[in-house]
Amino acid sequence: MTNMDNFDGFSAETISFLKTVQSKNSKKWFEDHRRDYNEYLLGPLRALVMTLSRSVIGIDSRIETSPTINRTISKIFRDTRFSKDKSLFRNEAWISFKRKRKDRMTIPEFYFYLTPESYEYGMGYYSADRASMDLFRNAITQAPASFRKTLMFENNKTMDFERFEDRYKRIISNKGPEDLQDWYQMKSFCCRIKKQNDKILFDRQLADDIGKAFSVLTPLYLFIINCTIAQ
């Protein structure tokens, strides 16, 4: 059984479970293998949340860190009511650290995401509304030097960060510096490290690597929080 207070990595059984749930995807199969779900997927996810929560709280004490489903851990059951995909269960899983707010969908989050083939982790600002992005752009215009300091992760030689973004269809006019124009045109974005499943996934080192990445991304996270949310 997984030690809730000590993340030791995922296992080959974790990946096998995710692959099989995709092909079987029936209530009967899941109920017959619920113990596998609890031991090989949910257990390690809870342990990873517990391990990372110590450093996450140090970044922002208002972030939710309870190792429970729908707070930090994704559900395996899918809501198929409004989806063309009628698969009952997800063959992917994730954890998300964000503040406890009614409008928590509009704020940045630290995350880890796992599929049968790959995993990734980083900081995302996925569901920002237009008003929040206007505040973000204004803050860049007002303090470009401070914002540039938050982007040091882009030149980090020990971590392979990439930026994934959704842009507005039309150009957002602004008075910002030329070198920061990419940031003005974003509707949402994430800064992530993505890897094919490797030996680190099955080792406690994964938690250390994720924690280090969160730390490197903290200045950008705090910049967003400070300029878009009333404290």
Side-chain angles (χ1 to χ4, degrees), residues 5-229:
D5 297 318
N6 185 22
F7 177 74
D8 292 320
F10 292 93
S11 65
E13 289 83 0
T14 305
I15 303 305
S16 177
F17 177 85
L18 289 175
K19 288 180 178 179
T20 308
V21 76
Q22 180 180 19
S23 60
K24 298 297 183 181
N25 226 288
S26 71
K27 288 183 179 179
K28 183 181 186 309
W29 181 89
F30 182 78
E31 290 305 324
D32 289 344
H33 295 82
R34 182 180 286 273
R35 182 174 179 178
D36 293 341
Y37 164 68
N38 288 332
E39 181 170 356
Y40 301 130
L41 184 59
L42 184 58
L45 287 171
R46 284 176 169 164
L48 184 57
V49 170
M50 291 290 288
T51 300
L52 291 173
S53 65
R54 302 155 195 161
S55 57
V56 168
I57 290 174
I59 294 171
D60 183 351
S61 62
R62 294 167 65 180
I63 287 179
E64 172 69 74
T65 59
S66 174
T68 53
I69 295 172
N70 268 352
R71 292 197 175 183
T72 56
I73 300 173
S74 62
K75 297 186 296 184
I76 191 169
F77 300 97
R78 296 183 65 253
D79 184 349
T80 62
R81 291 175 298 172
F82 309 105
S83 175
K84 292 182 180 180
D85 181 359
K86 298 304 180 181
S87 302
L88 299 178
F89 304 97
R90 305 181 193 278
N91 69 320
E92 58 193 6
W94 62 87
I95 61 176
S96 172
F97 293 105
K98 59 173 65 176
R99 284 189 174 188
K100 308 171 188 176
R101 287 172 52 89
K102 291 182 179 179
D103 56 343
R104 66 195 308 263
M105 289 297 292
T106 67
I107 59 179
E109 64 183 275
F110 294 99
Y111 75 93
F112 167 80
Y113 178 71
L114 175 65
T115 78
E117 297 82 26
S118 65
Y119 65 97
E120 65 180 77
Y121 49 89
M123 193 274 293
Y125 198 22
Y126 296 110
S127 304
D129 55 24
R130 181 62 181 265
S132 295
M133 291 306 291
D134 285 343
L135 290 171
F136 175 62
R137 285 187 285 271
N138 183 63
I140 296 174
T141 302
Q142 296 299 317
S146 295
F147 181 67
R148 288 189 187 96
K149 291 180 181 178
T150 75
L151 304 180
M152 294 180 67
F153 70 90
E154 294 184 326
N155 298 316
N156 191 294
K157 302 300 183 183
T158 61
M159 298 182 181
D160 189 18
F161 283 103
E162 64 176 346
R163 195 176 69 205
F164 181 81
E165 61 205 47
D166 182 19
R167 290 171 168 260
Y168 291 105
K169 292 182 179 179
R170 66 178 182 83
I171 299 297
I172 302 297
S173 60
N174 63 85
K175 298 180 180 179
E178 186 64 29
D179 64 308
L180 298 177
Q181 283 302 305
D182 273 356
W183 292 92
Y184 285 88
Q185 310 310 321
M186 294 180 193
K187 183 184 297 185
S188 63
F189 61 87
C190 75
C191 306
R192 67 185 185 184
I193 294 174
K194 184 173 182 177
K195 298 182 177 183
Q196 295 300 303
N197 291 342
D198 56 15
K199 64 180 182 180
I200 294 175
L201 181 66
F202 308 110
D203 192 273
R204 65 184 63 188
Q205 181 186 336
L206 177 64
D208 294 335
D209 289 353
I210 297 172
K212 290 175 183 176
F214 287 179
S215 179
V216 172
L217 293 169
T218 293
L220 178 57
Y221 169 83
L222 294 177
F223 185 93
I224 298 170
I225 287 289
N226 290 333
C227 72
T228 61
I229 298 178

